[in-house]
Amino acid sequence: MPTPTSHAKLLQWVEEIVTLCRPDAVQWCDGSQDEYDQMIQLAVAAGLATPLDAATRPNSYLFRSDPSDVARVENRTYIASRNPEDAGPTNNWIDPETLKATMRGLYAGCMAGRTLFVIPFSMGPVGSPIAKIGVEITDSPYVVVNMHIMTRVGGKVLEVLGTDGEFVPCLHSVGKPLAPGQADNGVWPCAPLDSKYISHFPEERMIWAYGSGYGGNALLGKKCLALRIASAQARDEGWLAEHMLILKLTNPLGAVRFVAAAFPSACGKTNLAMLVPTIAGWKVETVGDDIAWMKFGKDGQLYAINPEAGFFGVAPGTSSKSNPNAMSAIARNTIFTNVALTSANDIWWEGIGYEPPAGEVIDWKGKSWERKEVAAHANARFTAPAHQCPAIAAEWQDPAGVPISAILFGGRRPGTVPLVHQALSWQHGVFLGSIVGSEVTAAALDVQAGTVRRDPFAMLPFCGYNMGDYFAHWLRIGETAGAQLPQIFFVNWFRKAADGRWLWPGYGENSRVLRWIFEQCEGTGKFVLTPLGIMPTDDALDAPASVSAADMAELLKVDREGWLAEIADVRSRHYPKFGDKLPPALLQELDALQARLSA
Ligand code: O2Y
Ligand code: MN
């Protein structure tokens, strides 16, 4: 088959990798349904995919990964910049040349017995001025089918790339060559943990991954390109690549506002992006559930695109109650990874909202489930096309993006942080983003239960450069001439009473908070000025029946003691991590907050 491009740099790179990895065959991917079906057949034949019942879950498949390969591996994720300071204290740094030498050794001959697939893909609508092109080389059919769903793959991308367009080379191997006559035979191919590498070369805009076939380690368009490499590009080009959902909010009169929101992993981003409001006449629609790329338009507003084309959502806990739109999105054409399999050849997981059906259930490890441990892995996933979500917004593929009116930050904070407050300025909002974190519930090896694990802007695992420089970049964005900046808010759905009860029901009731945010953007919200910033008046949210007036007052209280402790924690444990890269403006905001609370 002739190569489908005459892009010299791309052809040269593919040739170089073929020489290094020595695959049995090379296949250029075109993104077609035939190709998808062919990859699935390969995976089924290798014993790696199980077709689900075609009547209940058409064109859907279950994969089970190796127990050692079930999530992103942060301690094997590297930012290889020439100067360690450019990676910063919160990233794993390695010298790029040393890393390349190690990885070339691993890549040598690593694709023997396998086919090398070349996947040209676009992050964002093909041809959008905000989109970027990547090319992933992989030896995994599982990666090919997931990339089909999560990105835009194929000939149109090569057309836009032309003969000399820019692309991010993304090299991936599962790290398991096959001897002649050997096959995977139902064993998920991957390499041992200490030879897994998820490596980023931000200065060269290049990604090399080895040894894992799973999720964020292997689908290189997502966390690797769209966040780690794109954040470095965004810094250099004056835009924002963020770990944010994008939602469209419509009021009963039909007025529309778009909102972006950053929460650390496992705070319900997908649920918020697909929320079903409990308040009459309001509508939430989904633009994206995980990543937002935001650039200034000519009118000075920030326009956001969702660079992805699908959802790679956490399965456990997803139910018709927590997220009916996600449940509809996964009704067909979906890949499930590490969920349980019922005797009717359907999927099941903890928190799906119904009991496991009678009959044998096969757990995520492929064993008959004894109902002692979980049936689905806690990080089991579904990969589903975004267009299958009933709440998908009409604008989700608009190449110009959607204008962002509000940016939300939040985390899991049982105490101190109120249900919602609004920043007094962009700089104050950047301060709020910089202190985002979630409380550690069970004692982890490195942190005591009850302490806050900070995850500034929910970007700690995903920023491709020094986090102190990242804060400075956000502050600079606020100084852009003619900028019409979004309002910034801090929300907390996870407040608890002293007796451990949830104070706020969350889910659809979060629409009450979204309504106030909408009103604040329109200038019609009822608010009070507090030491924390701008907050709703007692009656502004119209509390749901299940929340008493006393609980509402607690949710909107300014907890002076709690915040003074928070400030002390930020001052002594959090900000010092960034050394002299910490922008003085953030310390000024910390001091100003302390002064307002002490007045
Ligand atoms: O564990 C993985 O490989 C996936 S992590 C992930 C997937 C989808 C959206 N967000 C995340 C995350 O960790 O933030
Ligand atoms: Mn995420």
Side-chain angles (χ1 to χ4, degrees), residues 36 40 44 49-54 56-63 149 329-336 341 345-347 383-385 388:
Y36 186 94
I40 288 287
V44 171
T50 305
L52 298 173
D53 181 68
T56 41
R57 216 155 288 266
N59 192 32
S60 298
Y61 297 85
L62 165 66
F63 286 75
I149 296 176
I330 62 175
R332 68 194 81 83
N333 308 321
T334 297
I335 293 168
F336 296 91
L341 180 69
N345 258 359
D346 197 12
I347 45 80
T383 322
Q388 291 187 183

Side-chain angles (χ1 to χ4, degrees), residues 9 119 149 167 188 191 230 316 336 447 459 544:
K9 200 169 155 205
I119 314 172
I149 296 176
F167 69 96
W188 174 265
F336 296 91
V447 195
M459 278 292 278

Side-chain angles (χ1 to χ4, degrees), residues 71 125 192 219 235 282 289 305 361 364 367 419 508 557 582 594:
L219 314 178
R235 172 202 54 192
W282 287 76
D289 78 328
I305 61 162
V361 172
W364 70 276
K367 299 270 182 318
L419 179 61
K557 189 175 94 177
L582 183 78
Q594 184 161 357

Side-chain angles (χ1 to χ4, degrees), residues 71-72 214-217 222-223 243 265 290 312 379 381 462:
R72 290 187 293 103
Y214 191 84
N217 303 329
K222 192 173 179 59
K223 303 297 186 179
H243 189 203
S265 307
D290 195 38
F312 189 63
N379 194 37
R381 296 274 166 173
F462 305 122

Side-chain angles (χ1 to χ4, degrees), residues 18 69 165 199 226 271 334 532:
V18 169
D69 198 25
S199 305
N271 293 350
T334 297
L532 300 180

Side-chain angles (χ1 to χ4, degrees), residues 88-312:
T90 58
N91 279 313
N92 287 324
W93 175 84
I94 310 193
D95 170 67
E97 294 315 314
T98 311
L99 179 58
K100 280 183 197 166
T102 305
M103 292 192 72
R104 277 203 194 96
L106 293 167
Y107 282 132
C110 72
M111 295 189 186
R114 300 189 184 276
T115 297
L116 177 155
F117 302 101
V118 185
I119 314 172
F121 64 94
S122 177
M123 296 310 291
V126 181
S128 155
I130 313 181
K132 297 267 179 202
I133 289 177
V135 180
E136 178 158 353
I137 288 181
T138 181
D139 51 7
S140 162
Y142 172 80
V143 167
V144 177
V145 286
N146 276 274
M147 289 295 283
H148 267 227
I149 296 176
M150 295 304 295
T151 74
R152 285 103 172 155
V153 171
K156 285 232 169 69
V157 179
L158 289 177
E159 264 172 45
V160 172
L161 196 57
T163 52
D164 60 356
E166 219 179 82
F167 69 96
V168 176
C170 309
L171 172 56
H172 169 254
S173 170
V174 294
K176 184 88 186 298
L178 294 168
Q182 193 189 358
D184 285 321
N185 258 339
V187 179
W188 174 265
C190 64
L193 185 62
D194 60 1
S195 47
K196 290 191 204 313
Y197 284 88
I198 317 302
S199 305
H200 306 76
F201 302 86
E203 286 142 358
E204 288 174 70
R205 319 286 200 223
M206 183 173 88
I207 301 160
W208 282 9
Y210 180 90
S212 166
Y214 191 84
N217 303 329
L219 314 178
L220 301 185
K222 192 173 179 59
K223 303 297 186 179
C224 299
L225 193 163
L227 289 175
R228 298 195 189 97
I229 295 297
S231 61
Q233 290 176 304
R235 172 202 54 192
D236 297 345
E237 298 167 6
W239 52 283
L240 295 167
E242 300 301 324
H243 189 203
M244 290 183 180
L245 64 88
I246 309 165
L247 63 82
K248 175 183 177 185
L249 192 54
T250 306
N251 78 2
L253 299 175
V256 168
R257 295 276 175 177
F258 291 94
V259 175
F263 299 86
S265 307
C267 282
K269 267 189 26 236
T270 303
N271 293 350
L272 180 61
M274 300 179 189
L275 175 145
V276 180
T278 50
I279 47 178
W282 287 76
K283 197 154 73 172
V284 168
E285 288 161 290
T286 315
V287 177
D289 78 328
D290 195 38
I291 298 176
W293 285 356
M294 294 184 277
K295 274 192 185 165
F296 284 112
K298 288 202 178 74
D299 59 0
Q301 293 209 63
L302 274 176
Y303 284 81
I305 61 162
N306 167 14
E308 303 190 277
F311 307 119
F312 189 63

